[in-house]
Amino acid sequence: MNARSPGTVAGAWVRLALRGLAALGLCAATSAAAGTWPERPIRLVVGYPAGGSADAGARQLAGIVSKALGQQVVVENRSGAAGSVAAASVARAPADGYTVFYGTSDLVIHAALNPKAAYDPQRDFTPVTGIGRRPVLLVAHPSVKARTVKELVALARAQPGALTVESSGVGSIEHLSAEVFQRATGVKLTHVPYKGSAPAILDLLAGQVQLGFEVPLAVVEHVRAGKLAAIVSSGRERLASLPEVPTAHEAGVPELDLQAPWAGIFVPARTPSAVVARLNAEFVRARNREETRASPVFLDSVSITGTPEAFSAFVRAEVARWARIARDTGVTVGQ
């Protein structure tokens, strides 16, 4: 017979018991983490400098969510490469619910333009909820002698490459809007990328660059003050803030209707589902409050809040759509 010794059998039972206790301990720790979260402040990472539209939206929501969670939600600005620096840092962060990403359409755009991107928008993140979608506004420094798309096209064709257009970075929605505009109208502009919209707008106001595609929130007061001229909005409906500005369809450039930029809340992949559900509930509630909808920060923004599953489907569709746009424009970015 090849019977096991009593010591061998006892040792096997001990090992099984230890493994069972370890598994129970892990389950208990996971349950406790989900049940007591949050126990310390939460970082809400924004991929752009302070003062821009993404930063403003994140800060308004962070204040409301902080009160609901009983812990401070601290906005952290990590600018660079149209938000991809921040995205890569969040993708590597612990999946414990204490690092949250205020992501924008640049999250999927950068990945579409760069096959060697340091993150995958679907593999490395768990979508929590959409926040909002808004159009971009083509604005010009007053020195540009054009106030309509037709006049701008004529001016740009007469001086190919002479007019400069700013953006928050290569591959950003502002940059791609400019590329789509050039393809649709047959003009040549010179692209000048910046590390975020805030410094780009400062140079636009100073006349260092002539044109820019910006979200209305970032430039509406400058337009009203006569410091910038609004030429066209990319939305399908006229802006509530600047109803006199024609839409892309009205101005004869429907290709500019890119249904972006948008913003949403993400966490690192494998964040506990209970934490995702709580974040979803609080950010949806904060975004859809009456005072939030009526605030200048979210004026001209359409809410796209919903379940994590609905936002995941939205992100998948955006990944496919921007991959097509990337192929059409030929724009690429490096790591």
Side-chain angles (χ1 to χ4, degrees):
M1 293 180 65
N2 189 24
R4 296 182 182 179
S5 68
T8 302
V9 174
W13 276 108
V14 168
R15 287 192 295 273
L16 285 171
L18 289 174
R19 282 198 292 269
L21 288 171
L24 286 171
L26 179 59
C27 291
T30 301
S31 177
T36 59
W37 177 93
E39 296 180 302
R40 62 178 191 270
I42 298 166
R43 292 189 307 140
L44 180 57
V45 181
V46 179
Y48 309 93
S53 59
D55 175 74
R59 289 182 187 277
Q60 177 156 345
L61 295 178
I64 301 171
V65 175
S66 292
K67 294 178 181 178
L69 293 178
Q71 288 287 351
Q72 191 71 21
V73 178
V74 181
V75 174
E76 179 181 306
N77 301 93
R78 292 179 63 90
S79 60
S84 63
V85 171
S89 74
V90 173
R92 297 189 297 266
D96 55 9
Y98 291 99
T99 301
V100 180
F101 186 39
Y102 192 89
T104 71
S105 43
D106 286 340
L107 176 71
V108 298
I109 291 171
H110 179 83
L113 302 180
N114 182 9
K116 296 183 179 180
Y119 64 85
D120 184 296
Q122 297 181 91
R123 180 195 64 212
D124 296 329
F125 299 91
T126 295
V128 175
T129 181
I131 293 298
R133 183 179 64 222
R134 67 181 85 219
V136 291
L137 186 64
L138 172 56
V139 291
H141 187 267
S143 62
V144 176
K145 304 304 180 184
R147 294 296 178 268
T148 66
V149 168
K150 184 177 180 179
E151 291 173 351
L152 181 61
V153 168
L155 182 62
R157 285 177 177 170
Q159 306 173 49
L163 292 175
T164 53
V165 57
E166 51 86 351
S167 80
S168 64
V170 174
S172 65
I173 183 63
E174 298 92 349
H175 177 204
L176 287 177
S177 295
E179 292 294 330
V180 169
F181 180 81
Q182 291 177 87
R183 284 173 59 85
T185 59
V187 302
K188 172 63 178 174
L189 306 174
T190 298
H191 176 224
V192 182
Y194 289 79
K195 291 184 178 180
S197 289
I201 292 171
L202 285 176
D203 270 8
L204 180 59
L205 290 167
Q208 300 299 316
V209 287
Q210 286 78 52
L211 302 170
F213 286 87
E214 294 289 346
V215 296
L217 173 65
V219 294
V220 63
E221 293 304 323
H222 301 309
V223 172
R224 289 172 177 166
K227 297 178 181 179
L228 294 174
I231 295 177
V232 64
S233 163
S234 71
R236 295 180 181 178
E237 296 182 355
R238 292 202 175 198
L239 300 170
S241 60
L242 296 169
E244 70 278 10
V245 179
T247 68
H249 293 268
E250 292 171 331
V253 280
E255 299 89 343
L256 197 58
D257 180 10
L258 299 175
Q259 293 296 292
W262 51 259
I265 303 298
F266 298 81
V267 289
R270 294 174 294 280
T271 296
S273 59
V275 172
V276 173
R278 181 73 189 282
L279 284 169
N280 172 271
E282 299 305 343
F283 273 99
V284 168
R285 189 176 294 116
R287 172 62 179 89
N288 291 330
R289 285 165 60 123
E290 184 177 349
E291 55 266 43
T292 302
R293 295 196 304 269
S295 71
V297 172
F298 289 102
L299 188 65
D300 298 318
S301 173
V302 177
S303 175
I304 56 170
T305 57
T307 65
E309 294 75 19
F311 191 39
S312 294
F314 174 86
V315 171
R316 285 194 299 272
E318 284 291 280
V319 167
R321 188 166 73 93
W322 285 102
R324 292 193 298 271
I325 292 174
R327 289 193 299 268
D328 291 344
T329 61
V331 175
T332 58
V333 295
Q335 283 185 290

